[in-house]
Every structure is written in C-alpha cells, then in structure tokens.
C-alpha cells in the first residue's frame, strides 16, 4: 500500500465513520422525541428519513470505497457488488427525494395566506407520511435495473467488455440501452432538482417580501413564530443548496467517468468523495445550527 492509497483510505474512513455517527446521533434524538412525546412534527419525520437515507448511502458506498482505497479491492463477489450498488442508489435517491420534500414542505409552511400554496397549508402535514412512502417505493423500483450490469472484479479474466468501478465493474452496453438507462435513472433526479430550485427561489422571495414588510416595524412587535419560521427556512435553504452543489459536482464527475474508457484514479476518488459529501456533512450542518432539536422549534 502506497502513501497515496493510505491517505485516501484515511479520508474515506473519516468521512464514512464521522458521517454515520452524525446521522445516527440525530436519528436517536428523533426516536427519543417520538418515544417521549409520542409524536413527531412533520419536519422531524422528514429529517428522520433523511438520516436513514444518508446512513444507507455512507455504509453502502463509503465502506467499500474505504476498503478499496486501502488496497482491498477483491473483497466482493457478484452478489455483494450488486447489493452494495443497489443500496447506494436507493439511499442516494432517497436523500434527494427527502431533501426535495423538505424544501417543498417548508415553502408551503411559510407561504402567506394569499399565496398559491396557502391552500395546502392545512392539508400538507397529513400527506407527509404518504409522500415519504411513495419516495421509498419509487426509488426501490426504479433502481432495480442498477444491479443487472454490476459484477465483481475478482475472477474475471476478460475485462475488455467491462468498466472499472474501483471495487467492482460494470458490463458495457450498447448506446441505445445505456441511453434508456440514463433517462430512467435521471428522470426522478431532474424532477427533484427542478422542484428544489423552484421552492428555493419561492422561499427566498417570501423571505425578501417578509423583511420588506417588517423593516420599519419595531423588533419587539415581530411575532416569535414568524422569526422562528424565518430562521428555519434559512437553514433549510442552506441544506438544499449544499445538496444541490455536491450533487451537481458529483454528477459532472460521473459524466466524465462514463465518457472515459479508463477513468483516472484521481477522478474516480474525487467523484466518490463528492458523492459522500452531503450524507456526511448534512447532520453536522443541522447540529451546527441546532436545527430541529427537541422542543427548539415548531415548524
């Protein structure tokens, strides 16, 4: 094992362990809130599933990536590779879906009475559980095609028809089949990203209009609920922007890898690092802002 491999392994190990512990810490706080108060607010429930999705992504991608960085590349058989890639795709898709749901729900929550979304304010909380269930179902079904072309590297004599994925490999397919797979896998992502951008812009406009209205009002006359919702919205916007940035960079690297017959070591590892950045960073972003701690906010 070279110094470069060891340093890379330490980075992935720190990212994976730190991220998993951070997500589990927040997850147990939400579970404690549920068992002590026997209820979860809508945002609590959404973030609860976000922590689960983040942990799934980190364990299914971070652990094998760390082992591969330390030189343990032939530790998976075909079934192990298929299972790990499938779990990662489901976890990654759920992180996107849940972040999109959180952004949309907050936009509806802070919308003024005359706004278009105001009619959904009362009904929105009752739809949260159904929306989360639909997100899980969609990701589980859509990503079934992912394991079909993923195989282990060990024991494969002919690698000319396969593309190296560091610790696994994937079968090369014709252009038409690959295009169909890309469309099927990217369509939910494009929809979620579009909704996140739309709701983020809407929340920014709502916050701007709100500040314009209260600019000349004395601070003591501004309702605490309005101030709380404003702070919560700003933190959700930061969370969404972090996700969009990391996802965009990760997607760019993935496109480069897909179009390269033999991706470089640096490109593959930096792509893996960016794909794990949001799941690992998300819980610490929430903890830094003391976001949604039990009893701290009522959104």
């Amino acid at each position: 094992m070279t110094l470069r491999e060891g340093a890379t392994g330490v980075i992935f190990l720190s990212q994976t362990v730190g991220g998993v512990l951070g997500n589990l810490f927040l997850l147990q706080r939400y579970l404690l809130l549920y068992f002590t108060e026997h209820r979860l607010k809508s945002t609590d429930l959404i973030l609860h599933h976000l922590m689960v999705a983040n942990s799934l992504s980190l364990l299914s991608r971070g652990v094998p990536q760390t082992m591969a960085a330390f030189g343990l590349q032939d530790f998976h058989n075909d079934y192990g590779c298929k299972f790990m890639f499938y779990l990662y795709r489901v976890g990654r898709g759920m992180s996107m879906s849940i972040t999109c749901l959180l952004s949309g729900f907050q936009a509806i929550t802070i919308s003024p009475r005359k706004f278009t979304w105001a009619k959904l304010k009362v009904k929105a909380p009752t739809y949260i559980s159904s929306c989360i269930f639909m997100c899980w179902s969609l990701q589980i079904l859509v990503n079934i095609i992912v394991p079909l072309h993923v195989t282990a590297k060990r024991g494969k004599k002919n690698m000319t028809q396969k593309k190296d994925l560091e610790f696994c490999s994937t079968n090369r397919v014709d252009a038409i089949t690959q295009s169909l797979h890309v469309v099927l896998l990217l369509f939910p992502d494009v929809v979620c990203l579009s909704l996140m951008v739309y709701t983020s812009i809407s929340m920014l406009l709502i916050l701007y209009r709100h500040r314009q209205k209260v600019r000349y009002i004395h601070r003591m006359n501004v309702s605490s609920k309005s101030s709380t919702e404003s702070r919560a919205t700003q933190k959700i916007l930061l969370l969404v922007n972090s996700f969009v940035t990391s996802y965009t960079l990760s997607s760019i690297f993935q496109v480069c890898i897909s179009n390269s017959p033999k991706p470089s070591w640096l490109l593959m590892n930096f792509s893996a690092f960016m794909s794990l950045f949001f799941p690992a960073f998300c819980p610490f972003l929430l903890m830094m802002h003391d976001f949604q701690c039990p009893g701290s906010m009522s959104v």
Side-chain angles (χ1 to χ4, degrees), residues 179-296:
S179 299
L180 290 175
H181 287 177
V182 169
V183 170
L184 181 60
L185 293 174
L186 287 184
F187 179 74
D189 294 359
V190 172
V191 172
C192 287
L193 282 176
S194 300
L195 289 174
M196 277 190 271
V197 171
Y198 174 70
T199 53
S200 296
I201 294 175
S202 298
M203 284 189 285
L204 287 173
L205 291 175
I206 292 172
L207 289 178
Y208 175 76
R209 292 168 184 168
H210 174 73
R211 288 182 178 179
Q212 290 294 101
K213 290 181 179 179
V214 302
R215 175 177 293 181
Y216 301 106
I217 300 177
H218 193 271
R219 178 179 298 179
M220 296 302 295
N221 293 329
V222 180
S223 67
S224 59
K225 180 179 179 181
S226 176
S227 177
T228 300
E229 288 183 348
S230 178
R231 290 195 302 269
T233 304
Q234 293 174 12
K235 293 163 189 174
I236 290 176
L237 283 171
L238 181 59
L239 188 71
V240 172
N241 290 334
S242 299
F243 178 85
V244 172
T245 301
S246 62
Y247 175 82
T248 301
L249 291 175
S250 175
S251 298
I252 292 174
F253 291 126
Q254 284 296 328
V255 170
C256 295
I257 291 174
S258 299
N259 294 328
S260 175
K262 190 175 181 180
S264 66
W265 175 89
L266 181 61
L267 179 62
M268 293 185 66
N269 281 279
F270 201 73
S271 174
F273 175 82
M274 289 308 304
S275 66
L276 296 173
F277 178 79
F278 178 79
F281 176 69
C282 173
F284 298 101
L285 175 63
L286 297 178
M287 284 188 284
M288 279 190 300
H289 292 279
D290 197 27
F291 180 70
Q292 279 292 89
C293 290
S296 67

Side-chain angles (χ1 to χ4, degrees), residues 60-61 63-69 72-86 88 146-147 149-156 159 161-172 257 263 268:
S60 59
R61 181 68 185 271
V63 172
Q65 195 71 45
T66 301
M67 298 179 69
L72 303 173
Q73 296 187 359
D74 296 332
F75 56 90
H76 274 318
N77 56 23
D78 283 350
Y79 293 107
C81 279
K82 294 177 186 295
F83 184 67
M84 285 295 182
F85 267 85
Y86 177 70
Y88 169 69
V146 173
H149 302 287
V150 177
T151 59
K153 294 171 61 177
R154 183 176 55 190
K156 303 296 181 182
M159 293 295 293
Q161 299 300 318
K162 297 181 180 295
K163 178 172 289 188
D164 189 7
L165 297 177
E166 193 72 23
F167 50 89
C168 294
S169 61
T170 180
N171 298 323
R172 297 184 185 275
I257 291 174
M268 293 185 66

